[in-house]
Amino acid sequence: MSVNIKPLADRVLIKPLPAETKTASGIIIPDNAQEKPQKGTVVAVGNGTKDHDMTVTINDTVLYGKYAGTELKHEGVDYLIMHESDILAIL
């Protein structure tokens, strides 16, 4: 997936994975009860700063905090843009 948004400095553009719609036992979760996803795929990475080289790369699946980043919609697709430090882990 290619997107024409280029994050600056140590920022990362993430496409959140879809929210879980079913529990492990098969119960369907209604839209208003679904948790905000905390996993996503990195689609663009900034160049870093002079003090910080970037660790994540495009197509990494990452785990981030529930309230991390800023939501934005580009060409009908939802994304999050956040500092790399807001990413908790690479999965």
Side-chain angles (χ1 to χ4, degrees):
M1 162 190 296
S2 178
V3 66
N4 61 352
I5 297 174
K6 178 67 175 161
L8 300 176
D10 65 338
R11 289 180 179 83
V12 177
L13 185 69
I14 295 175
K15 182 173 190 251
L17 294 176
E20 296 290 323
T21 57
K22 237 185 223 190
T23 65
S25 60
I27 297 171
I28 296 173
I29 303 169
D31 287 343
N32 61 350
Q34 290 175 4
E35 292 256 341
K36 189 174 167 185
Q38 291 177 265
K39 287 194 280 189
T41 303
V42 176
V43 293
V45 177
N47 293 327
T49 64
K50 66 179 180 141
D51 299 326
H52 178 80
D53 292 329
M54 299 301 280
T55 306
V56 297
T57 58
I58 294 174
N59 291 326
D60 280 350
T61 300
V62 295
L63 180 67
Y64 51 86
K66 187 179 281 195
Y67 302 106
T70 301
E71 297 176 355
L72 65 106
K73 186 171 249 169
H74 179 68
E75 296 178 354
V77 181
D78 291 323
Y79 294 101
L80 282 172
I81 192 161
M82 66 183 71
H83 290 278
E84 187 184 48
S85 60
D86 292 335
I87 295 173
L88 305 174
I90 299 173
L91 303 175

